[in-house]
Amino acid sequence: MTSPAPAPSTLDAPPPVVDEPRTPSKRPLRRRLIPYFLVIPAIITLLIGMGYPVGWQILNSFREYGLAQQFGQPPAWVGLENYIGLLTGSEFWTVLIRSVVFMAVTALATMLLGIGLALLMKAIPTVPRICLQISMLLAWAMPIVAQMTVWNWLIDDRNGLVNYLLSLLPGVDFIGHDWLQNPLSFFAIASIIITWASVPFVALSVYAGLTQVSDEVVEAAQLDGAHGLSMLRRITLPIIRPVLVILLLLQMIWDLRVYAQIQLLQGFGAAGIRYDLLGTYVYGLGVGQGKFGVAAAAAMIVMIFTIALSWFYVRELLKEDD
């Protein structure tokens, strides 16, 4: 009678084979290069669409390029003279400071109203929310010329609705009041118009971000005693912070470079350097005065200022990636 064979010992068994996770450095070279190949079309498009105009502007900013050069006279190389003339004069700095103040006030008002409307859309029932969203989309989609035509009728000094309604107040007579005559009221009207046109984009974007806030997070915060403003300040806004940062950056850039609304308002009755922001100031230097070299230098300074402004968002992105 033979004895049973001994059971195999676990010590003699070969260790299980565990696949090590493939680190990015061990991925095939082709897979590591795919993201770079995907951005090549966008880079080529930017180089074709913006490379030549920007390069031409940079070149002209170092030359004396005026009306004579438009008729064939070769431009003279002046180096940094255009930049020095702008930066040492008071006119450019006045327009720059005015534009920065206008940008800050308008962007802040747009963000506050947009966030408020987004919170309102989150709180109201479906039917009123859809009506509000459609109204904002119609306001946002309206062409700039149509917007300005409507606002010109509203603030007209003789037949404007705003003057008529204000004159209904006891002891108030605004019939014949020109809102575009005084620079302060001119830019106040411009800020209101631009805010009115920009709020829908901010409100809808913030509302889209609010819909991504998890209900579980909200319920957990409520169990911990967070309600009302504390919920908004400590939970909701930090979660949608990336959306708010990019919206604020876009608003600041758009409001700094605003041109069409200011140009059309000037066409309604106000003109001169007192009513200029950076966009109309650069246009006036080039097309109005024929100083295309100086205008190119001013445009380059504005571009550098815009890039410096954008670096805040880029730095935030890098921090989040880290």
Side-chain angles (χ1 to χ4, degrees):
M1 183 175 181
T2 59
S3 60
S9 174
T10 56
L11 297 176
D12 300 331
V17 178
V18 179
D19 294 335
E20 295 183 0
R22 179 174 290 180
T23 60
S25 60
K26 293 182 180 181
R27 288 186 303 175
L29 179 62
R30 184 179 62 181
R31 293 188 59 185
R32 282 186 284 153
L33 293 179
I34 286 178
Y36 299 97
F37 284 115
L38 292 177
V39 301
I40 287 178
I43 294 175
I44 293 177
T45 303
L46 286 174
L47 291 177
I48 295 176
M50 298 182 60
Y52 176 77
V54 172
W56 185 253
Q57 285 284 76
I58 294 175
L59 182 62
N60 282 340
S61 67
F62 295 104
R63 303 189 299 183
E64 183 181 355
Y65 202 95
L67 292 176
Q69 283 68 37
Q70 293 288 310
F71 291 96
Q73 182 175 332
W77 184 267
V78 296
L80 296 175
E81 184 176 324
N82 292 331
Y83 291 93
I84 294 174
L86 284 171
L87 297 177
T88 56
S90 60
E91 186 177 270
F92 175 78
W93 288 107
T94 301
V95 175
L96 177 61
I97 295 173
R98 184 189 303 146
S99 300
V100 171
V101 173
F102 180 87
M103 171 202 68
V105 172
T106 306
L108 180 61
T110 302
M111 291 298 298
L112 291 178
L113 290 174
I115 294 173
L117 286 174
L119 295 173
L120 177 64
M121 286 189 288
K122 186 69 175 175
I124 60 179
T126 302
V127 175
R129 183 178 69 246
I130 293 176
C131 293
L132 179 59
Q133 290 173 341
I134 293 175
S135 301
M136 289 192 297
L137 283 174
L138 291 176
W140 186 58
M142 183 181 295
I144 293 179
V145 176
Q147 294 176 13
M148 300 307 298
T149 302
V150 172
W151 279 96
N152 182 44
W153 170 73
L154 290 174
I155 62 174
D156 185 73
D157 56 343
R158 293 174 296 177
N159 304 309
L161 180 62
V162 173
N163 287 349
Y164 171 76
L165 293 177
L166 290 176
S167 298
L168 295 179
L169 298 175
V172 177
D173 183 14
F174 268 83
I175 299 299
H177 178 73
D178 189 356
W179 292 93
L180 303 180
Q181 188 67 31
N182 184 276
L184 186 60
S185 61
F186 174 90
F187 288 112
I189 294 295
S191 180
I192 292 173
I193 294 173
I194 295 171
T195 301
W196 171 81
S198 303
V199 160
F201 174 74
V202 174
L204 294 173
S205 300
V206 175
Y207 174 73
L210 290 174
T211 59
Q212 302 305 310
V213 178
S214 174
D215 293 335
E216 290 79 5
V217 174
V218 175
E219 292 176 0
Q222 290 175 345
L223 291 176
D224 290 337
H227 297 282
L229 290 178
S230 62
M231 170 76 73
L232 178 65
R233 184 168 59 90
R234 297 177 181 274
I235 306 298
T236 306
L237 292 183
I239 292 177
I240 64 172
R241 181 174 176 273
V243 177
L244 298 179
V245 170
I246 185 59
L247 287 175
L248 179 60
L249 173 67
L250 290 175
Q251 282 303 133
M252 292 173 68
I253 293 176
W254 290 338
D255 295 339
L256 181 66
R257 303 185 308 167
V258 63
Y259 167 77
Q261 291 89 340
I262 304 299
Q263 180 70 22
L264 290 171
L265 278 179
Q266 290 178 352
F268 293 151
I273 190 66
R274 295 192 305 162
Y275 306 95
D276 271 336
L277 295 181
L278 283 172
T280 53
Y281 176 71
V282 173
Y283 178 84
L285 284 176
V287 178
Q289 304 179 31
K291 300 177 181 179
F292 295 99
V294 180
M300 290 302 101
I301 296 175
V302 175
M303 185 180 71
I304 294 172
F305 187 79
T306 305
I307 293 174
L309 193 65
S310 305
W311 175 245
F312 168 77
Y313 174 67
V314 176
R315 185 179 59 183
E316 292 297 317
L317 285 181
L318 294 176
K319 287 182 179 179
E320 291 179 4
D321 290 340
D322 293 339

